[in-house]
Amino acid sequence: MEATSYSNFRIREQTLFGGQYISFYIEAEQQVGKAFFTIIFADLRDFLHQQFPSVAGYIDAVRTSMGGYGPKEFEILQVLREEEFDFEPYMIRYIESKPGAVAEQIEQQKAFFANPEQQKQLKEKLAVLDTYNHDNYINGDKFLDGLEKAILDYLIDNYPELTSAEPDDIRKLKHLLISDVMRLGEKLIKHIMEIRRR
């Protein structure tokens, strides 16, 4: 097996279509050339669940402790950075779990950079995608979090008995909020975006 060296590990935080996403970038070099890998957080977490369940469980616990809606990748990353969690070795293990991945990626990228037509087509596709990624997109997860908070604040202010309800009653309230806030929030976001597009 050919020796591989890794460098330039970076974490990228990106907002797309109102959502917030994390991806990891690293360069892998062998004697025949260099490959560039970008792996999204969701894929890395799937890998951790399969190969490093205790690490995945820890990240899941961080997410669960936050409550609210959506993946909350930016918030998870902030907590893990504060705790000096090192993603790089897991990204390397992810790449090396696929035999021949580096050599294959080197060849694919060499072929891509040698083909101006493919490069042009990719730029055109990215340009089209960018036209849909307007600044006025609503962050759905934050919208749902705010909507749930507004409803909870109203309920607690007007129905204080909810704060001392039985655990089963609290669980039922949470279930109602999760299902109904999500449905209502999605409809409201859709309606607001329709108005914005006029």
Side-chain angles (χ1 to χ4, degrees), residues 6-169:
Y6 295 89
S7 62
N8 293 326
F9 174 76
R10 294 194 297 273
I11 300 174
R12 184 179 185 193
E13 301 168 54
Q14 192 172 21
T15 300
L16 291 170
F17 307 111
Q20 297 176 323
Y21 304 96
I22 303 295
S23 58
F24 305 92
Y25 171 89
I26 200 166
E27 296 175 14
E29 189 168 6
Q30 294 182 346
Q31 191 172 358
V32 293
K34 186 181 285 188
F36 312 99
F37 286 89
T38 299
I39 299 168
I40 63 172
F41 194 18
D43 287 346
L44 186 64
R45 283 181 72 178
D46 287 345
F47 170 73
L48 293 174
H49 276 283
Q50 294 165 16
Q51 300 296 324
F52 300 94
S54 62
V55 175
Y58 169 68
I59 295 173
D60 290 346
V62 170
R63 169 62 191 95
T64 302
S65 71
M66 295 172 180
Y69 297 84
K72 300 218 179 301
E73 293 187 1
F74 281 18
E75 292 88 342
I76 292 172
L77 180 63
Q78 182 180 347
V79 171
L80 295 178
R81 275 179 166 156
E82 287 170 2
E83 297 180 359
E84 299 182 352
F85 184 90
D86 189 2
F87 285 100
E88 184 174 357
Y90 296 107
M91 184 159 176
I92 292 170
R93 293 292 292 272
Y94 176 94
I95 294 167
E96 293 183 344
S97 71
K98 304 169 190 291
V102 174
E104 183 179 322
Q105 191 78 344
I106 288 170
E107 290 308 309
Q108 286 179 0
Q109 290 174 359
K110 278 182 179 178
F112 174 76
F113 289 121
N115 188 328
E117 184 58 32
Q118 275 190 358
Q119 294 174 52
K120 181 184 172 188
Q121 288 174 5
L122 178 61
K123 284 180 184 176
E124 288 170 354
K125 287 177 183 175
L126 291 174
V128 169
L129 186 63
D130 194 50
T131 62
Y132 292 102
N133 191 25
H134 303 296
D135 291 336
N136 68 349
Y137 261 91
I138 295 169
N139 183 317
D141 300 338
K142 286 187 178 179
F143 187 95
L144 294 174
D145 287 346
L147 183 61
E148 182 180 272
K149 183 180 184 305
I151 293 171
L152 273 174
D153 288 348
Y154 173 81
L155 289 173
I156 290 167
D157 287 347
N158 291 278
Y159 305 96
E161 62 268 24
L162 287 170
T163 59
S164 57
E166 295 295 322
D168 281 347
D169 296 323

Side-chain angles (χ1 to χ4, degrees), residues 164-177:
S164 57
E166 295 295 322
D168 281 347
D169 296 323
I170 299 295
R171 276 193 291 275
K172 186 174 181 181
L173 175 62
K174 286 181 178 178
H175 176 74
L176 287 169
L177 285 173

